[in-house]
Amino acid sequence: DQQVKQNSPSLSVQEGRISILNCDYTNSMFDYFLWYKKYPAEGPTFLISISSIKDKNEDGRFTVFLNKSAKHLSLHIVPSQPGDSAVYFCAAKRGYGGATNKLIFGTGTLLAVQP
Amino acid sequence: GAVVSQHPSRVICKSGTSVKIECRSLDFQATTMFWYRQFPKKSLMLMATSNEGSKATYEQGVEKDKFLINHASLTLSTLTVTSAHPEDSSFYICSAAGTFSSGANVLTFGAGSRLTVL
């Protein structure tokens, strides 16, 4: 039972344009959503997060949007840079704050930013 | 800050042997550690959650006798793959959750361990 899904396994965009990565979830009990970036043979690194009481969070080039009614979130990267090329995972957890609640990961989207 | 060291990064072993992977939090106390497994081009699958000093909680479908997890201290958790088979070959990643001395929460991933069973 995949509670967090990323339906696009890959995405290719031109440098300078916007990258939009999508994520859907099924469990309405999730309280917190996170995006991670992962390079091959490395662990994920945290990018940005959003709590379920908000609909937008912005950090530099990265913005996450949450649509609770649709159980959908998206990560926008603008402008996209070649160094952004990596696999992006969305993740969800129950419980606000704290770091000890387990994360459920999506299936990942491979982003390729073309120079 | 928030550094998690995972060792070894790569290990090759023969079928039937056991392999131990270590996960250490270097600059904070990790009350909880998570172990994930990633199959090629697949998601990170949570295997188990371990709290310092207590038994690990395994996710459904994960054999606890196969994947032994120990979290004996606030800075170290180990995953032992017992009697390894080729189908155990995978990328294993740990993450450590806890608090800095400042009180700030932290969750950081290790760099992962590539296990190949021949």
Side-chain angles (χ1 to χ4, degrees), chain A:
Chain A
D1 176 31
Q2 189 72 36
Q3 296 184 65
V4 181
K5 301 178 185 178
Q6 293 173 256
N7 292 319
S8 298
S10 63
L11 174 68
S12 181
V13 300
Q14 288 293 120
E15 181 178 6
R17 307 293 282 266
I18 185 171
S19 295
I20 300 177
L21 299 115
N22 294 302
C23 179
D24 297 291
Y25 61 96
T26 58
N27 191 342
S28 58
M29 301 298 288
F30 287 136
D31 299 301
Y32 211 70
F33 304 89
L34 307 92
W35 282 94
Y36 285 83
K37 177 180 180 180
K38 184 182 181 300
Y39 295 111
E42 292 185 11
T45 54
F46 171 74
L47 272 179
I48 192 169
S49 63
I50 189 168
S51 75
S52 61
I53 60 174
K54 294 188 174 182
D55 55 19
K56 178 183 176 181
N57 187 28
E58 189 173 352
D59 183 3
R61 296 186 298 115
F62 302 92
T63 302
V64 56
F65 295 92
L66 175 63
N67 182 333
K68 279 194 69 178
S69 61
K71 294 191 179 70
H72 177 84
L73 63 153
S74 61
L75 174 68
H76 292 209
I77 307 173
V78 56
S80 301
Q81 301 172 354
D84 295 329
S85 298
V87 176
Y88 289 77
F89 289 97
C90 68
K93 68 175 183 176
R94 294 181 62 175
Y96 293 101
T100 55
N101 296 337
K102 65 182 183 183
L103 291 173
I104 306 299
F105 281 86
T107 45
T109 298
L110 174 62
L111 172 65
V113 180
Q114 311 295 334

Side-chain angles (χ1 to χ4, degrees), chain B residues 34 44 103:
Chain B
F34 304 92
L44 295 163

Side-chain angles (χ1 to χ4, degrees), chain B residues 43-101:
Chain B
S43 179
L44 295 163
M45 184 191 79
L46 179 65
M47 298 174 66
T49 302
S50 72
N51 292 298
E52 185 265 337
S54 62
K55 290 184 179 180
T57 302
Y58 289 81
E59 295 298 304
Q60 190 174 8
V62 178
E63 300 174 62
K64 57 184 176 183
D65 295 330
K66 172 77 170 172
F67 299 100
L68 300 179
I69 291 172
N70 182 277
H71 191 167
S73 78
L74 285 171
T75 58
L76 174 64
S77 176
T78 59
L79 165 67
T80 302
V81 182
T82 62
S83 188
H85 289 150
E87 56 265 31
D88 298 326
S89 299
S90 194
F91 192 61
Y92 294 87
I93 305 174
C94 72
S95 68
T99 55
F100 279 122
S101 55

